[in-house]
Amino acid sequence: MRVTQGRMIDISAAATAASQAKVAAASTEVTSGMRVQKPSDDPAAWLAAQRADVRRTLAEGANTAMSTSRARLDDTDAALLAVGESASQIRMLAVQGSNASYSDANRRELAVQVRALFASALASANGKSADGEYVLAGATSLTRPFNDDGTYAGGSDPRDVPTSDVGQAVSNLAGTALTSASGVDVMPLFLRVAEALEANDPTALQGLLGQLDTGIKQVAHSRTRVGGAMSVIDQAQVAHAQLGVTLSSEISRQVESDTVAAATNLAKASQQLEASRQVTSFVISLVNPGR
Amino acid sequence: MSDLMSLLSLGSAGITAQNSGVSIATNNVANANTVGYSRQRVDIESLLGAPNVGGVRTGSPQRLGDSILQQRIRGAASNLEMSRSFAASTLSLEQTLMGGGDSIDQQLAAMFSRFGAVSASPTDLPARTAAVGAAGELVAGIGRRAAELDAQHTEANERIRAKVAEITDLARQLAETNLQIARTNNPVLKDERDRVATKLSALVGGNAKIDPDGQMRFVLDGGAVLVDGQRAAKLGAKTDPVTQNANVVVIDGNSERDVTTAIGGGSLGADLKHRDQTLVGARTALDQLAFDITASANAVHTAHAGADGVSGRPLFKPIGAVTGAAAAMGLDPDVEADPEKLALAAIGTGPGDNTGALAMFKLAQGKVASGGRTLTGAAQDLVTTVATEASRAKSDVARDELVAEHLAGLRDSLAGVDIQEELTNLARFEHAASAMTKFVTTIDEMLGTLIDRL
C-alpha cells in the first residue's frame, strides 16, 4: 500500500492525540478516584451504585427515626421507673397503714406521703420527650395523658417506626399499659390508697394491697416491653450500621477506581504518549531530513 | 533534410511532454496539503516508431481518483457525523438529567427518607418542615429538568433550521460545480465536487453517484432528489403548529416533500433522531414519572390527616394528564405554607399517630410507577436509558472513526501526494526535458551544417 508523507504525519499525529486523550482520562480517574464519572461511562455499574445509594438514603431515614425512638424509649423507661418506685413505696406505706397499731393521725401522715408520691408518679407519667411529645400519650401525644385524678386520657395504639427500608419496630408505649386494660388503673389506685388512709380504713387498705401488687407487676411488665423495644431498635441500629458499610462498599466497588490499577493505567498511557511523540519526531525527520 | 525536420518536431513534442510532466509534478507538490486534492499524472503516449520517426504525444492531465472509494468515504462521513452529533446530544441530555445537584431518584429517596424520619416524631414541626422541604426539592428538580428538556428541544430545532439552510447552499454549489465540469472537465473541479458532496453527506447522509454523463446526482435517504446534474432542489424547515417541530421538506419547484422521518444520516439525521426519539422518550418518561409520583403520593396523603385532624388534602397539586405533568408538578399550596397540614396520621387519631408517615415511607418500595416499577426505579430507568444510548453513541463514534480512518488511508494510497515521489518525477521530467533540448540543439546544428553546405 502506498503511504504518503502527509499520511504518515497524520497517522502519527492522530496516535499522539489518542495517547494524550488516554493520559487525560487516566489522570482524571486517578485524581478523582472515580471510575464511573457519569452514567454513560458504565450504565450497569452506575445503576447498581445508584440503587445502593437509594437504599442507603432510605436506611438513613429509618436510622434517624430509630435514634429518635430510642431516646423516647429511654424517656419512657425513666417515667415507668419513677412510677414503679412510687408504686413500691406506696405499697409499703399501705402495708404500714393497714397495721392495727396505727392511729388515725398516723394514717393521715401516711396519706400525705402517698399523695406526694402520687403527684411525683403523675408528673413522671405525664413526662415529655425532647421534641415535646408526652411519652405515654400514644397517638394523642400533644395532650396530657393522665388527668389530675390519675385517669388515662391518651391514645391506645403504640407507634411503629421503620427500622430499614422494609422492617418496622415498636417505638413507644401507650399509657393504656397502666390502666385496667392491662390489669388495674395504676394511677387512680394510688389515690384510692391515700383516700383509705385518710378515711382511717385499714380493711380497705388491706383490700388494695393485692391491686397494688398487680399494679407493680404491671409497671414492671411495661418496663420489660419497653426494654424489649429498645433491644429490637439497638439490634436494628447495629444491622443498619452493617448495611451502611455493605452499601458503601458496593457503591465503591461499582463506581470508584482501583487506585493501583488506575495508577498503572496512567503509567502505561504516559509511556504510550511518549512513544507516540518519539514516532512523530521520527516521521517528521524522515519526511524532512534537513531539519 | 525532411527527416531532420521530423526529428526537430519530435524533439519539440518531447520537450512539451516533459515540461507537462514538470508542470504537473510541481502542481502536485503545491497542493500536497490541499484538503481533498487528488494527485494528477501526465498522460504521455508514445507515437509509432520505425520505419516512421516515432515521437510522443501529451494528453490532458489524468486525475487519480476512484468514484466508488469516494462514495464509501461519503458514506463514512455521514455515519461519523451522525454518531458524533448524536453522542454530543445524548451526553448533553445525560448532563441535564444528572447535573445541578442530586438526581431525581436521589431526591425521591431523600423525600421518602424524610417521611421515615418524621414517623418517629410526627408532631415535630422541624421534622415536618424537612419532609415538606424534601418534597419541594423534588418538585423543583423535576421542573428544572422539564424546562431544560424544553430548551434542548428548542435548540435542536434551531440547529435543524441552520443545517437545512447550509444543505440548500451546498446543494446549489454542487449543481454549479456540475455545470462547470460539463463545460471544462477540469480535474480540480471534480475535487471540489467531491469535497462539497462529502460535506453534504456529513450533514444529511444520502447518496451521491456520478451518472454516465459525468454529472453528480445527490439523492436523500428515502429517495428524494436533492441535486440532479445542474439542477438543485431546496431544503426547507416548516414549523409544525402543534409540536413546534421544524420539519424538513424538499422543495422542488412547486412540489414539497416531507423527508423528516426519512433522513437517517449525517448530523441533521442525528439532530432529528435526538429531537424526535431521545428527547421525546426522555420527556415522556419524565412526565409519566411526575404523574406517578403525584398520583401515588396524593393517594396516600389524602387518606390521612394533618396535625389539625383534617384529611383529604393532596401533597402535590393534582395533575389531570400525563402530558406536561413534569412542568405542571407542584406542591399543594396549603401544605407548602403550613407543614402542620402534612398528613402523617390516620384519620380520627391524634397528631401523634404516624400511620400516614409510614405509608409514605413504604411508598418508596411500592411498585406504583408505570411498568410495575418503584418510583426510584423509574427515575433510574430514565437516566439509564439515556446513558445507554450515550454509551452506544460513543462506541459508534469510535467505530466510525476507524472506518473513516481506514478509507482516508485508501484514498491517500491512491490519490494522495507524496512529496518525495513528486520530487523524483520532477527531476526525471527535468532531465528528460534537458536531454530533449540537447537533442533539438544537435538537430538544429546538423540542419545548420547542411544548409551551410548547400
Side-chain angles (χ1 to χ4, degrees), chain B residues 93 149 152-153 156 273-275 277-284:
Chain B
L93 177 58
L149 289 185
Q152 287 208 5
H153 184 263
K273 185 181 174 190
H274 178 64
R275 184 194 67 183
Q277 293 177 30
T278 316
L279 270 180
V280 167
R283 187 58 203 261
T284 305

Side-chain angles (χ1 to χ4, degrees), chain B residues 372-394:
Chain B
R373 299 168 294 172
T374 60
L375 292 170
T376 51
Q380 286 161 352
D381 285 351
L382 166 61
V383 176
T384 311
T385 303
V386 173
T388 306
E389 281 214 54
S391 178
R392 196 181 303 136
K394 281 194 281 187

Side-chain angles (χ1 to χ4, degrees), chain B residues 441-453:
Chain B
T441 307
T442 305
I443 299 298
D444 183 48
E445 283 172 5
M446 286 170 72
L447 275 171
T449 305
L450 276 172
I451 289 166
D452 288 347
R453 286 183 183 177

Side-chain angles (χ1 to χ4, degrees), chain A residues 8-44:
Chain A
M8 284 164 69
I9 292 171
D10 284 349
I11 291 169
S12 55
T16 305
S19 300
Q20 271 178 335
K22 277 184 187 170
V23 168
S27 303
T28 308
E29 187 177 334
V30 168
T31 50
S32 70
M34 299 296 285
R35 183 179 66 83
V36 179
Q37 314 225 0
K38 53 185 181 300
S40 59
D41 290 342
D42 187 342

Side-chain angles (χ1 to χ4, degrees), chain A residues 160-162 168, chain B residues 115-116 119 344 354-363:
Chain A
D160 288 349
V161 289
Q168 280 182 201
Chain B
F115 276 99
S119 70
L344 304 179
N354 67 354
T355 312
L358 286 177
M360 199 64 88
F361 182 72
K362 282 180 188 165
L363 198 56

Side-chain angles (χ1 to χ4, degrees), chain B residues 47 87 100 120 126 298 308 344:
Chain B
L47 295 178
N298 282 351
D308 55 2
L344 304 179

